[in-house]
Amino acid sequence: MNVKMVREFWRMWGEEEPEKKGELPRHVAIIMDGNGRWAKQHKLSVSRGHRQGTEALREIIRHTDDLGIEALSLYAFSTENWRRPAEEVAALMQLILDFFASEIDELDEKNVRILILGDKEGLPEKQRETLLEAERRTGGNTGLRLNIAVNYGSRAEMVKAVREIAEEAREGKILPGDISEEMISEHLYTKGQPEVDLLIRTSGEMRLSNFLLYQNAYAEFVFPKVLWPDFTVEEYDRCLRAFGKRDRRYGGREESGT
Ligand code: FPP
């Protein structure tokens, strides 16, 4: 993390960087909740709410990149979201296509590396191809790691990891005793990335909803009340400042610094 950038961030908000803390997270995860309620408030269709949510998304990605944060994970579509009305599912699928069509050039130009978390095989062909192409095109980029969870479930991700490890054991490449926390991390979609430091869920709901359960083990949680389409860069900065003031002890004591 760029020290100058961190100091600048606090100064911009007229606050001194809190001593010992004040760091920006390396990895932010966001559950973008409240599109439906926003639509209801504005007497619009749920699909229109999701569309408005995509607008918020663009700004948040830009700001994350500007701040020099290493990784951003966004929960766009869970394995449970297929249960929603067909019209809403279709609207979300269309939004995925529209989002990449309009954003991919800028993201690539900004050196953003896109990774899709989730089972792409379970998606309609157009969406699968679009997501694969985004990953292929930006695969060599070295800037912000932008993880977009589509058809994602954390338990399914863990089952996949366990199956891969079991297969290695069956082939005699590893022994059960070789299995470590790191090995499990290396079999998750987010392999090679830092763990989540800050999890944000908008709309006041306080649940993980099967999102990055392993990666969130020591994350700080912030639950702003604002609905996702109303989540501005200012709101985001408020969450980042809240994170910067937290004591993170990872089960240790503050004095020991562990
Ligand atoms: C939760 O709000 C939000 C979702 C299920 C979808 C989030 C998707 C987007 C913001 C846009 C699509 C993403 C990309 C990458 C193009 P909700 O509908 O559950 O809200 P509610 O709880 O108020 O009904």
Side-chain angles (χ1 to χ4, degrees), residues 61 65 99-114 133-144 146:
I61 295 173
D65 186 41
F99 174 81
F100 283 99
S102 69
E103 300 303 300
I104 191 70
D105 287 345
E106 184 184 333
L107 292 171
D108 191 23
E109 220 162 85
K110 286 188 163 169
N111 200 22
V112 172
R113 181 171 175 185
I114 294 165
E133 176 52 25
E135 285 184 323
R136 261 197 298 265
R137 180 165 163 189
T138 63
N141 290 349
T142 54
L144 171 69
L146 178 60

Side-chain angles (χ1 to χ4, degrees), residues 180-209:
S180 62
E181 294 184 9
E182 290 72 28
M183 189 184 285
I184 293 173
S185 294
E186 284 307 301
H187 284 270
L188 300 176
Y189 292 116
T190 48
K191 63 171 172 277
Q193 299 192 31
E195 284 186 23
V196 176
D197 296 302
L198 169 65
L199 176 106
I200 300 170
R201 181 175 190 145
T202 56
S203 88
E205 304 289 349
M206 300 183 199
R207 288 188 292 277
L208 267 179
S209 300

Side-chain angles (χ1 to χ4, degrees), residues 218-230:
Y218 282 101
E220 295 292 329
F221 291 1
V222 178
F223 299 111
K225 290 237 162 61
V226 58
L227 303 175
W228 176 253
D230 293 328

Side-chain angles (χ1 to χ4, degrees), residues 32-37 50 54 57 76 81 84 95 99 148 228:
M32 309 179 284
D33 198 5
N35 294 344
R37 277 162 283 169
H50 291 312
T54 312
L57 180 66
N81 286 151
R84 294 195 175 197
L95 272 181
F99 174 81
I148 303 185
W228 176 253

Side-chain angles (χ1 to χ4, degrees), residues 36-46 48:
R37 277 162 283 169
W38 183 93
K40 205 167 177 191
Q41 270 181 10
H42 291 79
K43 300 194 167 45
L44 295 166
S45 66
V46 177
R48 186 62 185 74

